Coordinates of all heavy atoms in Angstrom, one line a residue:
M1 N -19.5 -3.9 8.4 CA -18.4 -4.3 9.2 C -17.0 -3.9 8.5 O -16.9 -4.0 7.3 CB -18.5 -5.8 9.4 CG -17.3 -6.5 10.2 SD -17.6 -8.1 10.8 CE -18.6 -7.7 12.3
L2 N -16.1 -3.5 9.3 CA -14.7 -3.1 8.8 C -13.8 -4.3 9.0 O -13.6 -4.8 10.2 CB -14.2 -1.9 9.7 CG -15.2 -0.8 9.7 CD1 -14.6 0.3 10.7 CD2 -15.5 -0.2 8.4
I3 N -13.3 -4.9 8.0 CA -12.4 -6.0 8.0 C -10.9 -5.6 7.9 O -10.6 -4.9 6.9 CB -12.8 -7.0 6.9 CG1 -14.3 -7.4 7.0 CG2 -11.9 -8.3 7.0 CD1 -14.7 -8.1 8.2
V4 N -10.1 -6.2 8.7 CA -8.7 -5.9 8.6 C -8.0 -7.2 8.5 O -8.2 -8.2 9.3 CB -8.1 -5.2 9.8 CG1 -6.6 -4.9 9.7 CG2 -8.9 -3.9 10.1
T5 N -7.1 -7.4 7.5 CA -6.3 -8.6 7.4 C -4.9 -8.4 8.1 O -4.6 -7.3 8.4 CB -6.0 -9.0 5.9 OG1 -5.0 -8.1 5.3 CG2 -7.3 -8.9 5.1
G6 N -4.2 -9.4 8.3 CA -2.9 -9.4 9.0 C -3.0 -8.8 10.3 O -2.0 -8.3 10.9
A7 N -4.1 -9.0 11.0 CA -4.3 -8.4 12.4 C -3.3 -9.1 13.4 O -3.2 -8.6 14.5 CB -5.7 -8.5 12.8
T8 N -2.8 -10.2 13.1 CA -1.8 -10.8 14.0 C -0.4 -10.4 13.8 O 0.5 -10.9 14.4 CB -1.9 -12.4 14.0 OG1 -1.8 -12.8 12.6 CG2 -3.2 -12.9 14.6
G9 N -0.2 -9.5 12.8 CA 1.1 -8.9 12.5 C 1.2 -7.6 13.1 O 0.3 -7.1 13.8
R10 N 2.4 -7.0 12.9 CA 2.7 -5.7 13.5 C 1.8 -4.6 13.1 O 1.1 -3.9 14.0 CB 4.1 -5.3 13.3 CG 5.1 -6.1 14.1 CD 6.5 -5.8 13.7 NE 6.7 -6.1 12.3 CZ 7.6 -7.0 11.8 NH1 8.5 -7.5 12.7 NH2 7.8 -7.3 10.5
L11 N 1.7 -4.3 11.8 CA 0.9 -3.2 11.3 C -0.6 -3.5 11.5 O -1.3 -2.6 12.0 CB 1.2 -3.0 9.8 CG 0.4 -1.8 9.2 CD1 0.8 -0.5 9.8 CD2 0.7 -1.7 7.7
G12 N -1.1 -4.7 11.2 CA -2.5 -5.0 11.4 C -2.9 -4.8 12.8 O -4.0 -4.3 13.1
A13 N -2.1 -5.3 13.8 CA -2.4 -5.2 15.2 C -2.5 -3.7 15.6 O -3.5 -3.3 16.3 CB -1.4 -5.8 16.0
L14 N -1.6 -2.8 15.1 CA -1.6 -1.4 15.4 C -3.0 -0.8 14.9 O -3.7 0.0 15.5 CB -0.5 -0.7 14.8 CG 0.9 -0.9 15.5 CD1 2.0 -0.3 14.6 CD2 0.9 -0.2 16.9
I15 N -3.3 -1.2 13.7 CA -4.5 -0.7 13.0 C -5.8 -1.1 13.8 O -6.7 -0.3 14.1 CB -4.7 -1.2 11.5 CG1 -3.6 -0.5 10.7 CG2 -6.0 -0.9 11.0 CD1 -3.4 -1.1 9.3
V16 N -5.9 -2.3 14.2 CA -7.1 -2.8 14.9 C -7.2 -2.1 16.3 O -8.2 -1.7 16.7 CB -7.0 -4.3 15.1 CG1 -8.2 -4.8 16.0 CG2 -7.1 -5.0 13.7
N17 N -6.0 -1.9 17.0 CA -6.1 -1.2 18.2 C -6.5 0.2 18.1 O -7.3 0.7 18.9 CB -4.7 -1.3 19.0 CG -4.5 -2.7 19.6 OD1 -5.4 -3.3 20.1 ND2 -3.3 -3.2 19.5
R18 N -6.1 0.8 17.0 CA -6.6 2.2 16.8 C -8.1 2.3 16.5 O -8.9 3.1 17.0 CB -5.8 2.9 15.7 CG -4.5 3.3 16.1 CD -4.5 4.5 17.1 NE -3.2 4.9 17.5 CZ -2.5 5.9 16.9 NH1 -3.1 6.5 15.9 NH2 -1.4 6.2 17.2
L19 N -8.5 1.3 15.6 CA -10.0 1.2 15.3 C -10.8 1.0 16.6 O -11.9 1.6 16.7 CB -10.2 0.0 14.3 CG -10.1 0.3 12.8 CD1 -10.3 -1.0 12.1 CD2 -11.1 1.3 12.4
L20 N -10.3 0.2 17.5 CA -11.1 -0.1 18.7 C -11.3 1.1 19.6 O -12.2 1.1 20.4 CB -10.4 -1.3 19.5 CG -10.6 -2.7 18.9 CD1 -9.6 -3.7 19.6 CD2 -12.1 -3.1 19.3
E21 N -10.4 2.1 19.4 CA -10.6 3.4 20.1 C -11.6 4.2 19.5 O -12.1 5.2 20.1 CB -9.2 4.1 20.1 CG -8.1 3.5 20.9 CD -6.8 4.2 20.6 OE1 -6.7 5.3 19.9 OE2 -5.7 3.6 21.1
R22 N -12.0 3.9 18.2 CA -12.9 4.7 17.5 C -14.3 4.2 17.2 O -15.3 4.9 17.0 CB -12.2 5.1 16.2 CG -11.1 6.0 16.4 CD -10.2 6.2 15.1 NE -9.2 7.2 15.2 CZ -8.2 7.2 15.9 NH1 -7.9 6.1 16.6 NH2 -7.3 8.1 15.9
V23 N -14.4 2.8 17.0 CA -15.7 2.3 16.6 C -15.9 1.0 17.5 O -15.0 0.5 18.1 CB -15.7 1.8 15.1 CG1 -15.5 3.0 14.2 CG2 -14.7 0.8 14.9
P24 N -17.2 0.7 17.7 CA -17.5 -0.5 18.6 C -16.9 -1.8 18.1 O -16.8 -1.9 16.9 CB -19.0 -0.5 18.5 CG -19.5 0.7 18.0 CD -18.4 1.3 17.2
A25 N -16.4 -2.6 18.9 CA -15.7 -3.8 18.6 C -16.6 -4.7 17.7 O -16.0 -5.4 16.8 CB -15.3 -4.6 19.9
G26 N -17.9 -4.6 17.9 CA -18.8 -5.4 17.1 C -18.9 -5.0 15.6 O -19.4 -5.8 14.8
R27 N -18.3 -3.9 15.3 CA -18.2 -3.5 13.9 C -16.9 -3.8 13.2 O -16.7 -3.6 12.0 CB -18.3 -1.9 13.8 CG -19.6 -1.4 13.1 CD -19.4 0.0 12.8 NE -19.1 0.3 11.5 CZ -18.7 1.5 11.0 NH1 -18.6 2.5 11.9 NH2 -18.4 1.7 9.8
I28 N -16.0 -4.4 14.0 CA -14.7 -4.8 13.4 C -14.6 -6.3 13.3 O -14.9 -7.1 14.2 CB -13.6 -4.3 14.4 CG1 -13.7 -2.8 14.6 CG2 -12.2 -4.6 13.8 CD1 -12.8 -2.2 15.7
G29 N -14.0 -6.7 12.2 CA -13.8 -8.1 11.9 C -12.3 -8.3 11.5 O -11.7 -7.3 10.8
V30 N -11.6 -9.3 11.8 CA -10.3 -9.6 11.4 C -10.2 -10.9 10.6 O -10.9 -11.8 10.9 CB -9.3 -9.6 12.5 CG1 -9.1 -8.2 13.1 CG2 -9.5 -10.6 13.5
S31 N -9.4 -10.9 9.6 CA -9.1 -12.1 8.7 C -7.7 -12.5 9.0 O -6.7 -11.8 8.7 CB -9.3 -11.7 7.3 OG -8.9 -12.7 6.5
V32 N -7.5 -13.6 9.7 CA -6.2 -14.1 10.1 C -5.9 -15.5 9.7 O -6.9 -16.3 9.7 CB -6.0 -13.9 11.7 CG1 -6.1 -12.4 12.1 CG2 -7.0 -14.7 12.4
R33 N -4.7 -15.9 9.6 CA -4.4 -17.3 9.3 C -4.6 -18.2 10.4 O -5.1 -19.3 10.3 CB -2.9 -17.4 8.9 CG -2.6 -16.8 7.5 CD -1.3 -17.3 7.0 NE -0.2 -16.8 7.7 CZ 1.1 -17.0 7.3 NH1 1.3 -17.6 6.2 NH2 2.0 -16.5 8.0
D34 N -4.3 -17.7 11.7 CA -4.4 -18.6 12.8 C -5.3 -17.8 13.9 O -4.9 -16.9 14.5 CB -3.0 -18.7 13.4 CG -3.0 -19.6 14.7 OD1 -4.1 -19.9 15.2 OD2 -1.9 -19.9 15.1
V35 N -6.6 -18.4 13.9 CA -7.5 -17.6 14.8 C -7.1 -17.7 16.3 O -7.4 -16.8 17.0 CB -8.9 -18.2 14.6 CG1 -9.5 -18.0 13.2 CG2 -8.9 -19.7 15.0
G36 N -6.3 -18.7 16.7 CA -5.8 -18.8 18.0 C -4.9 -17.6 18.4 O -4.9 -17.1 19.5
K37 N -4.2 -17.1 17.4 CA -3.3 -15.9 17.7 C -4.1 -14.6 17.8 O -3.5 -13.6 18.3 CB -2.3 -15.7 16.5 CG -1.1 -16.7 16.5 CD -0.3 -16.6 15.3 CE 0.5 -15.4 15.2 NZ 1.4 -15.4 14.0
A38 N -5.4 -14.7 17.5 CA -6.3 -13.4 17.7 C -7.2 -13.7 18.8 O -8.2 -12.9 18.8 CB -6.9 -13.1 16.4
A39 N -7.0 -14.6 19.7 CA -7.9 -14.8 20.8 C -8.2 -13.6 21.7 O -9.3 -13.4 22.1 CB -7.4 -15.9 21.7
D40 N -7.1 -12.8 21.8 CA -7.3 -11.5 22.6 C -8.3 -10.6 21.9 O -9.1 -9.9 22.6 CB -6.0 -10.8 22.8 CG -5.3 -10.5 21.5 OD1 -5.4 -11.3 20.5 OD2 -4.7 -9.3 21.4
L41 N -8.3 -10.5 20.6 CA -9.3 -9.7 19.9 C -10.7 -10.3 20.0 O -11.6 -9.5 20.2 CB -8.9 -9.6 18.4 CG -7.5 -8.8 18.2 CD1 -7.2 -8.8 16.7 CD2 -7.7 -7.4 18.6
A42 N -10.8 -11.6 20.0 CA -12.1 -12.2 20.1 C -12.7 -11.9 21.5 O -13.9 -11.6 21.6 CB -12.0 -13.7 19.9
E43 N -11.8 -11.9 22.5 CA -12.3 -11.6 23.8 C -12.7 -10.1 24.0 O -13.6 -9.8 24.8 CB -11.1 -11.8 24.9 CG -10.9 -13.3 25.2 CD -9.7 -13.5 26.0 OE1 -9.1 -12.5 26.7 OE2 -9.2 -14.6 26.0
R44 N -12.2 -9.2 23.1 CA -12.6 -7.8 23.2 C -13.8 -7.6 22.3 O -14.3 -6.4 22.1 CB -11.4 -7.0 22.7 CG -10.2 -7.1 23.6 CD -9.0 -6.5 23.1 NE -9.1 -4.9 23.1 CZ -8.1 -4.2 22.6 NH1 -7.0 -4.7 22.1 NH2 -8.2 -2.9 22.6
G45 N -14.4 -8.6 21.7 CA -15.6 -8.5 20.9 C -15.4 -8.4 19.4 O -16.4 -8.2 18.7
V46 N -14.2 -8.5 18.9 CA -13.9 -8.4 17.5 C -14.3 -9.8 16.8 O -14.0 -10.8 17.5 CB -12.4 -8.1 17.3 CG1 -12.1 -8.3 15.8 CG2 -12.1 -6.7 17.8
R47 N -14.8 -9.8 15.6 CA -15.2 -11.1 14.9 C -13.9 -11.6 14.4 O -13.2 -10.8 13.6 CB -16.1 -10.8 13.9 CG -16.6 -12.1 13.2 CD -17.6 -11.9 12.0 NE -16.9 -11.6 10.8 CZ -17.4 -11.3 9.6 NH1 -18.8 -11.3 9.5 NH2 -16.8 -11.0 8.6
V48 N -13.5 -12.7 14.7 CA -12.3 -13.3 14.2 C -12.6 -14.5 13.3 O -13.3 -15.5 13.7 CB -11.4 -13.8 15.4 CG1 -10.1 -14.5 14.9 CG2 -11.0 -12.7 16.3
R49 N -12.1 -14.4 12.0 CA -12.3 -15.5 11.1 C -11.0 -15.9 10.4 O -10.2 -15.0 10.2 CB -13.4 -15.1 10.1 CG -14.8 -15.1 10.7 CD -15.9 -15.0 9.6 NE -17.2 -15.1 10.2 CZ -18.3 -15.0 9.6 NH1 -18.3 -14.9 8.3 NH2 -19.5 -15.1 10.2
A50 N -10.9 -17.1 10.0 CA -9.7 -17.6 9.4 C -9.7 -17.1 7.9 O -10.7 -17.3 7.2 CB -9.7 -19.1 9.4
G51 N -8.6 -16.6 7.4 CA -8.5 -16.1 6.1 C -7.1 -16.2 5.6 O -6.2 -15.7 6.3
D52 N -6.8 -16.8 4.5 CA -5.5 -17.0 4.0 C -5.4 -16.5 2.6 O -6.3 -17.0 1.8 CB -5.0 -18.5 4.2 CG -3.4 -18.6 3.9 OD1 -3.0 -18.0 2.9 OD2 -2.9 -19.4 4.6
F53 N -4.5 -15.6 2.2 CA -4.5 -15.1 0.8 C -4.3 -16.2 -0.2 O -4.6 -16.1 -1.3 CB -3.4 -14.1 0.7 CG -3.6 -12.9 1.6 CD1 -2.5 -12.2 2.2 CD2 -4.8 -12.3 1.7 CE1 -2.7 -11.1 2.9 CE2 -5.1 -11.2 2.5 CZ -3.9 -10.6 3.1
T54 N -3.7 -17.4 0.3 CA -3.4 -18.4 -0.7 C -4.6 -19.4 -0.8 O -4.5 -20.3 -1.5 CB -2.1 -19.2 -0.3 OG1 -2.4 -19.9 0.9 CG2 -0.9 -18.3 -0.2
E55 N -5.7 -19.1 0.0 CA -6.9 -19.9 -0.1 C -8.1 -19.0 -0.3 O -8.7 -18.6 0.7 CB -7.0 -20.7 1.2 CG -5.9 -21.8 1.4 CD -6.0 -22.5 2.8 OE1 -7.0 -22.3 3.4 OE2 -4.9 -22.9 3.2
P56 N -8.4 -18.6 -1.5 CA -9.4 -17.6 -1.8 C -10.7 -17.9 -1.1 O -11.5 -17.0 -0.8 CB -9.5 -17.6 -3.3 CG -8.1 -18.0 -3.8 CD -7.7 -19.1 -2.8
G57 N -11.1 -19.2 -1.1 CA -12.4 -19.6 -0.5 C -12.5 -19.2 0.9 O -13.6 -18.8 1.4
S58 N -11.3 -19.2 1.6 CA -11.4 -18.8 3.1 C -11.7 -17.3 3.2 O -12.4 -16.8 4.2 CB -10.1 -19.1 3.7 OG -9.0 -18.3 3.3
L59 N -11.3 -16.5 2.2 CA -11.5 -15.0 2.3 C -13.0 -14.7 2.1 O -13.5 -13.7 2.7 CB -10.6 -14.3 1.2 CG -9.1 -14.5 1.3 CD1 -8.4 -13.8 0.2 CD2 -8.6 -14.0 2.7
K60 N -13.7 -15.5 1.3 CA -15.1 -15.2 1.1 C -15.8 -15.2 2.5 O -16.7 -14.4 2.8 CB -15.7 -16.2 0.1 CG -17.1 -16.0 -0.2 CD -17.6 -16.9 -1.3 CE -19.1 -16.7 -1.6 NZ -19.7 -17.6 -2.5
H61 N -15.5 -16.3 3.3 CA -16.1 -16.3 4.6 C -15.5 -15.3 5.5 O -16.3 -14.6 6.3 CB -15.7 -17.8 5.2 CG -16.3 -18.0 6.5 ND1 -17.6 -18.0 6.9 CD2 -15.6 -18.2 7.7 CE1 -17.8 -18.2 8.1 NE2 -16.6 -18.3 8.7
A62 N -14.2 -15.0 5.5 CA -13.6 -14.1 6.4 C -14.1 -12.7 6.1 O -14.2 -11.9 7.0 CB -12.1 -14.1 6.3
F63 N -14.4 -12.3 4.8 CA -14.9 -11.0 4.5 C -16.3 -10.8 4.5 O -16.9 -9.8 4.1 CB -14.3 -10.7 3.1 CG -12.8 -10.5 3.0 CD1 -12.3 -10.2 1.8 CD2 -11.9 -10.7 4.1 CE1 -10.9 -10.1 1.6 CE2 -10.6 -10.6 3.9 CZ -10.0 -10.2 2.7
E64 N -17.1 -11.8 4.9 CA -18.6 -11.8 4.8 C -19.1 -10.6 5.5 O -18.7 -10.3 6.7 CB -19.1 -13.1 5.5 CG -20.6 -13.1 5.3 CD -21.2 -14.4 6.1 OE1 -20.4 -15.1 6.8 OE2 -22.3 -14.7 5.9
G65 N -20.0 -9.8 4.9 CA -20.6 -8.7 5.5 C -19.8 -7.4 5.6 O -20.1 -6.5 6.3
A66 N -18.7 -7.4 4.8 CA -17.7 -6.3 4.8 C -18.2 -5.1 4.2 O -18.8 -5.1 3.1 CB -16.4 -6.7 4.2
E67 N -18.2 -3.9 4.9 CA -18.4 -2.6 4.3 C -17.1 -2.2 3.6 O -17.1 -1.7 2.5 CB -18.7 -1.5 5.3 CG -19.9 -1.7 6.2 CD -19.8 -0.9 7.4 OE1 -19.4 0.3 7.3 OE2 -20.0 -1.4 8.5
R68 N -16.0 -2.4 4.3 CA -14.7 -2.1 3.8 C -13.7 -3.2 4.3 O -13.9 -3.7 5.3 CB -14.2 -0.8 4.3 CG -15.1 0.4 3.9 CD -14.5 1.7 4.3 NE -15.4 2.8 3.8 CZ -15.1 4.1 3.8 NH1 -13.8 4.4 4.1 NH2 -15.9 5.0 3.4
V69 N -12.7 -3.3 3.4 CA -11.6 -4.4 3.8 C -10.3 -3.6 3.7 O -10.0 -3.0 2.7 CB -11.6 -5.5 2.9 CG1 -10.5 -6.5 3.3 CG2 -13.0 -6.3 2.9
L70 N -9.6 -3.6 4.8 CA -8.2 -3.1 4.8 C -7.2 -4.3 4.6 O -7.1 -5.1 5.5 CB -7.9 -2.3 6.0 CG -6.7 -1.4 5.9 CD1 -6.7 -0.2 6.9 CD2 -5.3 -2.2 6.2
V71 N -6.6 -4.4 3.5 CA -5.7 -5.5 3.2 C -4.3 -5.1 3.5 O -3.7 -4.2 2.9 CB -5.8 -6.0 1.7 CG1 -4.8 -7.1 1.5 CG2 -7.2 -6.4 1.4
V72 N -3.8 -5.7 4.6 CA -2.4 -5.5 4.9 C -1.6 -6.5 4.1 O -1.8 -7.7 4.3 CB -2.1 -5.7 6.4 CG1 -0.7 -5.6 6.8 CG2 -2.9 -4.7 7.3
S73 N -0.7 -6.0 3.3 CA 0.0 -6.9 2.4 C 1.0 -7.9 3.2 O 1.5 -7.5 4.2 CB 0.8 -6.1 1.4 OG 1.7 -5.3 2.1
A74 N 1.0 -9.1 2.6 CA 1.9 -10.1 3.2 C 3.1 -10.4 2.2 O 2.9 -10.3 1.0 CB 1.2 -11.3 3.5
A75 N 4.2 -10.8 2.7 CA 5.3 -11.1 1.8 C 5.2 -12.5 1.4 O 5.7 -13.5 1.9 CB 6.6 -11.0 2.6
I76 N 4.4 -12.7 0.2 CA 4.2 -14.0 -0.4 C 4.8 -13.9 -1.8 O 4.6 -13.0 -2.5 CB 2.7 -14.3 -0.5 CG1 1.9 -14.2 0.8 CG2 2.5 -15.7 -1.1 CD1 0.4 -14.3 0.7
R77 N 5.6 -14.9 -2.1 CA 6.3 -15.0 -3.4 C 5.8 -16.3 -4.0 O 5.4 -17.3 -3.3 CB 7.8 -15.0 -3.2 CG 8.3 -13.7 -2.6 CD 8.2 -12.5 -3.6 NE 8.7 -11.3 -3.0 CZ 8.0 -10.5 -2.3 NH1 6.8 -10.7 -2.0 NH2 8.6 -9.3 -1.8
G78 N 6.0 -16.4 -5.3 CA 5.7 -17.6 -6.0 C 4.2 -17.7 -6.4 O 3.4 -16.8 -6.4
G79 N 3.9 -19.0 -6.8 CA 2.5 -19.2 -7.3 C 1.4 -18.8 -6.3 O 0.3 -18.4 -6.7
G80 N 1.7 -19.0 -5.0 CA 0.7 -18.7 -4.0 C 0.2 -17.3 -4.0 O -0.9 -17.0 -3.6
A81 N 1.1 -16.4 -4.5 CA 0.8 -15.0 -4.5 C -0.2 -14.6 -5.6 O -0.8 -13.6 -5.6 CB 2.0 -14.2 -4.7
L82 N -0.4 -15.5 -6.5 CA -1.3 -15.3 -7.7 C -2.6 -15.8 -7.6 O -3.5 -15.4 -8.4 CB -0.6 -15.8 -8.9 CG 0.8 -15.3 -9.2 CD1 1.4 -16.1 -10.5 CD2 0.8 -13.9 -9.5
T83 N -3.0 -16.6 -6.6 CA -4.3 -17.3 -6.5 C -5.3 -16.3 -6.1 O -5.0 -15.3 -5.5 CB -4.3 -18.4 -5.5 OG1 -3.8 -17.9 -4.2 CG2 -3.4 -19.6 -5.9
Ligands
NAP101 N1 5.1 -2.5 10.6 C1 4.9 -1.3 10.1 O1 4.9 -0.3 10.8 C2 4.6 -1.0 8.7 C3 4.5 0.3 8.2 C4 4.1 0.5 6.9 C5 3.9 -0.5 6.0 N2 4.1 -1.8 6.5 C6 3.8 -3.0 5.5 O2 2.7 -3.7 6.0 C7 2.9 -5.0 5.6 C8 2.9 -5.9 6.9 O3 4.0 -5.5 7.7 P1 4.1 -6.1 9.2 O4 5.3 -5.3 9.8 O5 2.8 -6.0 9.9 O6 4.5 -7.6 9.0 P2 4.2 -8.8 9.9 O7 4.2 -8.4 11.3 O8 5.1 -9.9 9.4 O9 2.7 -9.2 9.5 C9 2.3 -9.8 8.3 C10 1.0 -10.3 8.5 O10 0.6 -11.0 7.2 C11 0.0 -12.2 7.6 N3 0.1 -13.2 6.5 C12 1.2 -13.7 6.0 N4 1.0 -14.6 5.0 C13 -0.4 -14.5 4.8 C14 -1.3 -15.2 4.0 N5 -0.9 -16.2 3.1 N6 -2.6 -15.0 4.1 C15 -3.0 -14.1 5.1 N7 -2.2 -13.4 5.9 C16 -0.9 -13.6 5.8 C17 0.7 -12.7 8.8 O11 0.0 -13.7 9.4 P3 0.6 -14.6 10.7 O12 0.4 -13.6 11.9 O13 -0.3 -15.8 10.7 O14 2.0 -14.9 10.3 C18 0.8 -11.4 9.6 O15 -0.3 -11.1 10.3 C19 4.2 -5.1 4.8 O16 3.9 -5.0 3.5 C20 5.0 -3.9 5.3 O17 5.9 -3.5 4.3 C21 4.4 -2.1 7.7

């Protein structure tokens, strides 16, 4: 499975839309802070899981089964960026 983070943001959304033109939706997963914001992707067959860079435990679940992970960087400053 190909995992993309930040899929509810500008760059991540563009990447996922391009991926959907190339590979089956069932091979794509997104790791997002708010799964509700990715409801459109879930309807298209993309696996949507909650993942927050400041909560490492959530990423283990969001990245489960990943062949590759494309990490779209987020503007996080302070201690949260180091966890
Ligand atoms: N836009 C472009 O064309 C472009 C081109 C080249 C490079 N970039 C780079 O790509 C990165 C993202 O840019 P963007 O324009 O897509 O920004 P954006 O629209 O603000 O998207 C940022 C994404 O990061 C997510 N995010 C923020 N904090 C997070 C956290 N703690 N854990 C997990 N996800 C978190 C946001 O989630 P929410 O949706 O929940 O807020 C959002 O999906 C930046 O580093 C930018 O410099 C962008």
Side-chain angles (χ1 to χ4, degrees):
M1 180 162 274
L2 309 173
I3 306 294
V4 181
T5 75
T8 50
R10 285 173 297 239
L11 181 60
L14 286 171
I15 292 168
V16 172
N17 281 324
R18 285 294 181 92
L19 271 179
L20 282 165
E21 294 170 6
R22 290 166 170 75
V23 299
R27 244 192 102 193
I28 304 171
V30 294
S31 169
V32 295
R33 288 197 293 187
D34 180 353
V35 294
K37 282 172 70 176
D40 58 324
L41 293 176
E43 280 171 20
R44 294 169 74 183
V46 172
R47 187 184 83 179
V48 176
R49 289 194 176 175
D52 190 315
F53 296 144
T54 65
E55 296 171 19
S58 69
L59 299 179
K60 186 174 180 185
H61 178 64
F63 293 179
E64 185 182 7
E67 300 160 46
R68 297 184 181 197
V69 178
L70 193 157
V71 177
V72 175
S73 57
I76 307 173
R77 298 288 180 273
L82 302 176
T83 53

